[in-house]
Amino acid sequence: MKLSPEVQAQIQTFKQYRIDKPPAEIVLHYQKELQAIQDTLDIISGGWKMQIIALLCNSEFRFSEIEKGLPSITAKVLSNSLKDLVQNKLVIRNSQNNSERKVSYKLSDYGYTLVPLIIELTNWGVNHREYLRNGPIAQKHDSKSP
Amino acid sequence: MKLSPEVQAQIQTFKQYRIDKPPAEIVLHYQKELQAIQDTLDIISGGWKMQIIALLCNSEFRFSEIEKGLPSITAKVLSNSLKDLVQNKLVIRNSQNNSERKVSYKLSDYGYTLVPLIIELTNWGVNHREYLRNGPIAQKHDSKSP
DNA sequence: CGGCATCCTTTATGATACTG
DNA sequence: CAGTATCATAAAGGATGCCG
């Protein structure tokens, strides 16, 4: 686990910021944040949505291309996920010359606002693999060595 | 939707970076990233985990305090979630003087590595509420006005 | 090709009750 | 207080087949 200095600072801020109140009030104080987290997760979690979005970040894909790209997804789940994403305005469905035979999907501008989140998800996942491989001890040594 | 200049730059980078390859190869190229995203989501999604973590960021809580803090969670789900989180080394379970009557949970150092993710989840959720309220048109005007 | 309909299995969650 | 056990239900996911 190598954390960038900014992230370490971010974490330190989080750790040091303490509200001097009983738990119940702390909870109250963070209601909105917790709700926001839930809102986001409701949209992106649940199956494959985030992977689909991550794929679409990089190119426009057709239905079957996504299907092949995410090998263990089924047509039904993909279909449902895409429908949700389109409804949430994150993804744009393009049926070329009205033929249902040639449909492609791409991220909307709004969809691209998820980029920072995608980056964090990716980073953490990559780090986590490392963490699992190296064992929990690895981050013990001094991080200041040049 | 107001996006910070850095985020806008980030998004631009993402949008402009294109691999000039057929979709199948793009997919191949991103396999590892997609896997990482999935890994992360496997750990944090599924129920209430992220909210629990977000709560624990701010203080040490006892079981019943979390239960009250997340009003619609049930003891069973909380119990399972905590067990998973402890197993993934994100949360530390503290049973004071071995009495099962007084147990508290807090984030581990490793758990704190989720902070950047929590921030992004929160940000996006907050923005999304705004987006839903203002309608999708709001981000149309020039972002450079001082 | 891009799906939807159907059926079936698996998982997750809820309600309720109970224990050390 | 901090859970576990049990039962019941809902929701998600897979398999298969069909259609425009």
Side-chain angles (χ1 to χ4, degrees), chain A residues 5 7 10 16 20 22 26-27 38 43 52 57 60 62 66 68 72 94 102 105 108 110-111 123-124 144:
Chain A
V7 169
Q10 236 177 1
Q16 280 157 20
D20 193 18
I26 299 181
V27 164
Q38 190 56 42
I43 289 175
I52 295 168
C57 271
E60 201 165 341
R62 299 180 53 185
I66 307 178
K68 283 173 213 141
S72 46
N94 244 328
K102 193 137 181 137
Y105 294 88
S108 69
Y110 188 52
N123 284 348
W124 201 86
K144 265 188 212 147

Side-chain angles (χ1 to χ4, degrees), chain A residues 40-50 52 77 81 84, chain B residues 38 41 45-47:
Chain A
T40 307
L41 285 177
D42 282 351
I43 289 175
I44 67 156
S45 95
W48 299 82
K49 297 216 186 91
M50 213 55 192
I52 295 168
V77 172
S81 303
D84 285 357
Chain B
Q38 191 55 41
L41 285 177
S45 94

Side-chain angles (χ1 to χ4, degrees), chain A residues 70-88:
Chain A
L70 306 173
S72 46
I73 200 173
T74 61
K76 180 173 143 192
V77 172
L78 178 53
S79 173
N80 287 343
S81 303
L82 285 170
K83 230 183 294 177
D84 285 357
L85 293 172
V86 169
Q87 195 167 357
N88 284 323

